[in-house]
Amino acid sequence: MRVPLIAGNWKMNTTLSEAIELVSGILRELDKIDNVDKVLCPPFISLAAVGELIKGSSIKLGAQNLYFVEKGAYTGEISPLMLTDLCEFVIIGHSERRQYFNETGEIVNKKVQAALKAGLKPILCIGERLEENEAGLTEEVVTRQLRSALTGIDRLSGMIIAYEPVWAIGTGKAATGEQANQTIGFIRRNISELYDTEAAQNVRILYGGSVTAENATEFMQQPEIGGALVGGASLKADQFLSIVRQTSEIRRR
Ligand code: 13P
C-alpha cells in the first residue's frame, strides 16, 4: 500500500514571520495525524526557520524550485546542494514556472536530474492547459511532459509526480475525482512502460488544482490518487488540517 502524501505549496506567499505563525498554528495538530506523509513547501527564505520549528516532528519540508547547477556565478539562484541541508523534497516543473519563467521540458529534466543527484526527492508537476484539455489533448500533453522530464533517469528513487491540470490551479474549478483518477491511472501506465510495474505501483501520483476541505475526500478516495498538492488551501490552517485528516481517515477505512 502506498502511504498518501499531502504537500502544501505556499507559492509566493507569507513573509518570514507569517510563515512562522502559520506553522506554529498547525504544528501540534498536524504532527498527530498518522497514515499520511505531510510536507510543507514554504518560500526559500522561510525554509530554515520552518525546518527548526518542525524538527523532531513527523512533518517534512520541501522547496518550491531549484537551479540545476551545484554552485557558481548564477546570481539569485538556489542550488540543489543548498537544499539538501534544509529539506527532503523539491517541487519541479510547476506550471507557474513553465508559464511565467519559461521553463522548458529540457530545463525541467535538468532540474529533476540535479535534484536526484543531490539526494532530493522531486515532486514533478505535469498537467495540461485549458485549451489542450478542450482539444482532447490531455493524455498527449502529460505523456510528453512526463517523458521529457524523465529522460535519462533510470530510477525514480522516491520521486513524486503531481498531476495538476493548469485550468484547475487557483481557479476554484477543480477536476472531478473521476477525471483526476483517470488521468493519474494513465500516467501510472506510462511509468510502467518507461520503468516497470513495480515502479508504477510504488510511485505516488498526487492531484493538484483547487483542492479544498470541501472536495478533498472526493479525490483522496480514488484508487489511483496518492495524495494532493495543495495551493491556496494550504495557507489556511483549518483547511489544510482538514484535508490531511480526511486523507488519514480514508486510509484507515
Ligand atoms: P491551488 O490549490 O491554489 O489551486 O494551487 C494548486 C497548485 O498549484 C499546487 O501546486
Side-chain angles (χ1 to χ4, degrees), residues 9 11 94 96 164 168-170 209-211 229-232:
N9 174 10
K11 308 192 179 183
H94 193 281
E96 287 149 14
E164 298 207 306
I169 295 177
S210 296
V211 174
L229 184 53
V230 185

Side-chain angles (χ1 to χ4, degrees), residues 7-11 91 94-96 123 125 162 164-174 207-212 228-235 243:
N9 174 10
W10 296 6
K11 308 192 179 183
I91 298 173
H94 193 281
S95 64
E96 287 149 14
I123 301 178
C125 301
E164 298 207 306
V166 180
W167 46 271
I169 295 177
T171 57
K173 196 180 138 198
Y207 167 75
S210 296
V211 174
T212 61
L229 184 53
V230 185
S234 71
L235 295 165
I243 293 167

Side-chain angles (χ1 to χ4, degrees), residues 71-128:
K71 60 179 173 178
Y74 299 95
T75 303
E77 291 298 318
I78 304 285
S79 86
L81 289 184
M82 296 173 186
L83 293 178
T84 44
D85 273 356
L86 288 170
C87 60
E88 183 176 336
F89 295 89
V90 57
I91 298 173
I92 297 179
H94 193 281
S95 64
E96 287 149 14
R97 298 227 44 101
R98 295 181 194 256
Q99 186 180 350
Y100 305 131
F101 303 98
N102 305 318
E103 280 193 13
T104 60
E106 194 184 338
I107 294 173
V108 171
N109 174 243
K110 284 186 178 167
K111 290 187 171 189
V112 171
Q113 303 226 25
L116 288 173
K117 187 170 170 225
L120 294 160
K121 294 180 184 136
I123 301 178
L124 168 67
C125 301
I126 57 176
E128 82 286 2

Side-chain angles (χ1 to χ4, degrees), residues 3 5 35 58 62 65 71 84 96 109 111 135 151 156 161 176 178 199 222 240 247 252:
V3 177
L5 183 148
N35 297 315
S58 59
N65 183 29
K71 60 179 173 178
T84 44
E96 287 149 14
N109 174 243
K111 290 187 171 189
T151 303
L156 292 182
I161 296 167
T176 63
E178 212 171 307
Q222 301 289 338
F240 191 64
T247 308
R252 223 187 290 276

Side-chain angles (χ1 to χ4, degrees), residues 127-138 141 144-145:
E128 82 286 2
R129 298 195 308 264
L130 181 62
E131 59 273 27
E132 294 166 332
N133 180 279
E134 286 172 345
L137 296 173
T138 300
V141 172
R144 176 169 29 85
Q145 290 178 341

Side-chain angles (χ1 to χ4, degrees), residues 22 24 42 50 54 62 82 100 111 126-127 138 140 143 148 176 180 201 221 224 229 231 234 252:
L22 180 55
S24 307
V50 172
I54 63 174
M82 296 173 186
Y100 305 131
K111 290 187 171 189
I126 57 176
T138 300
E140 198 175 314
T143 301
S148 131
T176 63
Q201 277 317 307
Q221 66 194 6
E224 294 289 350
L229 184 53
S234 71
R252 223 187 290 276

Side-chain angles (χ1 to χ4, degrees), residues 89 159 202:
F89 295 89
M159 189 183 326
N202 291 340

